[in-house]
Amino acid sequence: MENKEKVKKLIDLRVEAKLGGGEKRIASQHAKGKYTARERIDMLLDEGSFEELDMFVTHRCHNFGMEKDKFLGDGVVTGHGTIDGRTVFVYAQDFTVFGGSLSETMALKICKVMDMAMKMGAPIIGINDSGGARIQEGVNALAGFAEIFERNILASGVVPQISAIYGPCAGGAVYSPALTDFILMTENTSYMFVTGPKVVKSVTGEDISTEDLGGASMHTKKSGVAQFKVETEEEGMMLIRKLLSYLPQNNLEEAPLFNTNDPIDRMEDSLNEIIPDNPNKPYDVKDVIHAIVDNEEFLEVHRFFAKNVVVGFARFNGQSTGIIANQPNFMGGVLDCDASRKAARFVRFCDAFNIPILTLVDVPGFLPGSSQEYQGIITHGAKLMFAYGEATVPKVTVTLRKSYGGAHCVMSSKQLRGDFNYAWPTAEIAVMGASGAIEVLEGRTIVKMENAEEKAQFIADKTAEYNTAFANPYNAASYAYIDDVIEPRNTRFRVIRAFQALQTKKLANPLKKHSNIPL
Ligand code: HXC
């Protein structure tokens, strides 16, 4: 073969590889409202930055006549590129080749980019669209999955790992995304479950649709498996790009610093009046977040799940910050099992990746009741406590209103190594609210009172006495548990100054193999 022909052969092979499973299957993919693996990667990365690897890999299976059915690249497109100029490694399962099902060689390709991401200290993004283990390959496919899982585990806390689910993700395949930091799902075209509706029906008799069993709405609202739901794949790619802008490349680096035109000493007068006079009236804590962060920009994580706590990323003076805030607008901001594990996971992510944490507290306590106890509120609450107590990143806490009982201790209190703990004048920091406290302390006396008017007056007097003593920030401040009581409208400035002072913070936990967080 002449050299010219050799070059032509390469070009032809590249054209063939880029067609994946062929034009018919590409058309079928498009007809389902889905993009192909390469289209997806192009959408995700900076224009023209993608460098593909292993385009000529084919499977090695000889079962069921598979040796006659080979496609260049074998069901996954892998490589690296940039997002906002920063290197990322990426793989996208190609549904047009054997339904994106995972073969031994596909696993090899995915593991190669995962290993490179670790070596280079760069994020890894997986785009999932697959029928699971390639049935014809049997245990080799299973072994391939397990190779990927192990790498997900070792990469955890070293480089950010993001999973986009843009099609089926079933059976054991769900565990790779589940091991990563963030899962994003497209509405109506993606699903995740350990067993599909047919198996569910045959085993339990339950009739349930694919969407109800494992669709994006279910996983972002009920199970909490996925953090983000998007309507289109394009929207999903924009979201991944935005998310990465808040993250460092790896655990040894800091998140990128942005220039901001938002003045650091901007006063927000509305905050002086945001807390209603009636302590049982809610307000939206997201209004507080938007008012204090740079340019009102807040990327909420887990928006639809456990809405009684709000978590997400924002910037203060250009510095990426993780925010955890109780949400009085939903269930009074109480901490339940779901809210506790949602917040705990977010705190741990921030701590692993050197992202400072701001906590906004307005929490009446942990949710009482048998349902919560049966679900293990003790363990889930302990998770959040553990996550905060173990975190060594800069931690700034602002108590806006209620901070009661165990929930007070949990929410980044001074004793859990909160660096700066501020409170608004509207803060109430105590063991419990006035009505509960009076019930416990004066119950016997109240029961004996026969005159209703006298009883009401007694309760009112005791409540006033209790509120004067405890429903304020000054009692805690007198013990230095609160570093300062700040004017609400000045919160942005005080938080920025606190984080500035914490830039050189050095704190390490005792040496150990690893901790044993209550799981
Ligand atoms: C081999 C597969 C495949 C698989 C799909 N295909 N899944 N080939 N192994 N697991 C092939 C189909 O034969 C078909 O080939 C092409 O991919 C497209 O599939 P369709 O069925 O035509 O597509 P669609 O109707 O969209 O249905 C998609 C699907 C369905 C719902 C994913 O294919 C399906 O149910 N697949 C099997 C899912 C499954 O049970 N996987 C194993 C899970 S257990 P042609 O040539 O016709 O285009 C598992 C264990 C992992 O994964 C454990 C890890 C620890």
Side-chain angles (χ1 to χ4, degrees):
M1 198 189 278
E2 282 183 23
N3 283 350
K4 219 160 79 183
E5 282 168 43
K6 286 182 185 169
V7 173
K8 181 167 181 318
K9 184 178 174 195
L10 169 68
I11 292 167
D12 289 347
L13 284 174
R14 282 195 188 286
V15 170
E16 185 189 330
K18 284 188 176 169
L19 279 177
E23 273 164 1
K24 221 172 114 198
R25 290 194 185 88
I26 291 176
S28 157
Q29 179 83 344
H30 287 159
K32 288 180 197 155
K34 303 199 299 184
Y35 287 101
T36 64
R38 284 191 181 78
E39 286 166 345
R40 286 167 173 167
I41 288 175
D42 283 346
M43 233 188 285
L44 173 68
L45 301 180
D46 293 342
E47 204 181 334
S49 70
F50 183 50
E51 290 288 338
E52 188 170 340
L53 303 172
D54 293 334
M55 197 186 244
F56 306 115
V57 165
T58 52
H59 71 73
R60 304 159 183 168
C61 180
H62 292 270
N63 303 327
F64 304 101
M66 283 288 279
E67 65 280 2
K68 291 184 229 107
D69 216 1
K70 292 197 177 189
F71 298 91
L72 292 181
D74 192 29
V76 69
V77 180
T78 60
H80 62 90
T82 60
I83 289 182
D84 292 331
R86 299 195 296 162
T87 295
V88 296
F89 286 82
V90 63
Y91 69 86
Q93 293 168 334
D94 183 352
F95 194 82
T96 69
V97 177
F98 303 113
S101 59
L102 191 106
S103 65
E104 177 204 0
T105 41
M106 251 176 85
L108 193 140
K109 284 180 67 171
I110 293 172
C111 289
K112 189 194 264 188
V113 281
M114 292 180 86
D115 290 343
M116 285 190 165
M118 283 287 273
K119 217 183 320 180
M120 258 53 84
I124 176 97
I125 302 156
I127 302 165
N128 295 255
D129 185 1
S130 160
R134 190 167 300 166
I135 295 163
Q136 300 90 331
E137 296 213 4
V139 289
N140 288 338
L142 294 188
F145 262 126
E147 292 282 355
I148 296 170
F149 299 157
E150 181 62 31
R151 281 165 178 79
N152 286 133
I153 294 162
L154 294 180
S156 183
V158 181
V159 294
Q161 301 183 78
I162 299 172
S163 304
I165 316 294
Y166 281 177
C169 183
V174 296
Y175 289 109
S176 174
L179 292 165
T180 65
D181 298 306
F182 298 101
I183 299 181
L184 174 153
M185 295 180 76
T186 44
E187 226 168 347
N188 302 321
T189 47
S190 73
Y191 52 87
M192 294 179 80
F193 36 62
V194 172
T195 45
K198 281 188 194 144
V199 178
V200 170
K201 172 83 180 152
S202 70
V203 176
T204 69
E206 185 189 4
D207 245 323
I208 189 161
S209 70
T210 300
E211 195 58 28
D212 286 346
L213 186 64
S217 291
M218 192 290 281
H219 278 311
T220 49
K221 198 172 166 191
K222 284 193 182 157
S223 71
V225 164
Q227 283 81 2
F228 301 103
K229 175 176 75 168
V230 290
E231 277 177 24
T232 63
E233 294 185 14
E234 288 95 333
E235 193 194 329
M237 296 313 189
M238 288 303 114
L239 187 66
I240 293 172
R241 292 178 63 93
K242 193 163 180 199
L243 176 59
L244 282 172
S245 76
Y246 290 99
L247 313 184
Q249 288 288 89
N250 56 62
N251 64 332
L252 300 177
E253 292 183 15
E254 305 281 330
L257 197 61
F258 280 64
N259 286 323
T260 178
N261 53 8
D262 196 351
I264 61 165
D265 56 355
R266 175 171 52 79
M267 292 278 181
E268 195 62 43
D269 290 338
S270 65
L271 292 181
N272 275 10
E273 277 142 40
I274 198 165
I275 304 290
D277 284 327
N278 177 351
N280 295 321
K281 226 175 141 196
Y283 59 93
D284 190 346
V285 80
K286 285 191 226 174
D287 289 341
V288 178
I289 295 172
H290 287 133
I292 60 176
V293 301
D294 289 357
N295 301 112
E296 297 181 28
E297 277 177 41
F298 177 56
L299 176 60
E300 191 171 352
V301 175
H302 257 150
R303 186 166 140 213
F304 306 105
F305 176 68
K307 292 197 278 191
N308 32 337
V309 71
V310 174
V311 305
F313 298 104
R315 292 190 184 88
F316 283 98
N317 197 22
Q319 182 186 47
S320 178
T321 308
I323 298 180
I324 296 100
N326 307 114
Q327 173 57 290
N329 234 355
F330 192 83
M331 294 167 67
V334 75
L335 278 176
D336 60 359
C337 295
D338 285 348
S340 300
R341 62 189 180 92
K342 163 178 166 177
R345 182 147 173 84
F346 188 72
V347 168
R348 294 201 102 209
F349 176 83
C350 291
D351 189 47
F353 289 101
N354 314 316
I355 298 169
I357 292 170
L358 172 69
T359 305
L360 301 177
V361 184
D362 189 346
V363 62
F366 281 102
L367 184 60
S370 57
S371 157
Q372 289 292 306
E373 295 292 352
Y374 295 170
Q375 287 178 60
I377 182 87
I378 296 173
T379 307
H380 294 298
K383 248 175 226 173
L384 183 53
M385 174 95 75
F386 205 109
Y388 267 123
E390 198 179 38
T392 55
V393 287
K395 292 186 283 193
V396 175
T397 310
V398 182
T399 301
L400 312 182
R401 188 169 61 173
K402 298 172 193 170
S403 183
Y404 287 127
H408 161 74
C409 301
V410 166
M411 294 302 294
S412 200
S413 62
K414 192 60 141 178
Q415 294 70 28
L416 294 188
R417 303 190 298 183
D419 294 302
F420 289 106
N421 289 62
Y422 293 140
W424 284 4
T426 42
E428 307 165 17
I429 303 168
V431 173
M432 61 173 79
S435 61
I438 306 299
E439 185 71 39
V440 175
L441 298 177
E442 307 293 346
R444 278 170 209 254
T445 317
I446 292 169
V447 162
K448 283 188 212 142
M449 287 180 157
E450 280 168 12
N451 182 319
E453 229 171 79
E454 196 188 319
K455 191 194 258 185
Q457 189 56 49
F458 178 79
I459 293 174
D461 289 347
K462 284 289 168 193
T463 303
E465 193 187 323
Y466 184 87
N467 281 340
T468 310
F470 295 120
N472 61 64
Y474 300 106
N475 190 32
S478 75
Y479 292 102
Y481 302 151
I482 289 294
D483 297 300
D484 198 7
V485 181
I486 63 173
E487 205 182 333
R489 68 190 191 121
N490 202 17
T491 303
R492 171 175 166 79
F493 185 56
R494 298 299 296 264
V495 166
I496 289 175
R497 289 274 282 250
F499 280 129
Q500 274 174 352
L502 292 167
Q503 262 170 7
T504 49
K505 178 180 176 184
K506 292 252 180 306
L507 181 64
N509 291 327
L511 273 181
K512 55 183 110 172
K513 185 171 177 193
H514 60 69
S515 58
N516 188 17
I517 187 166
L519 294 172

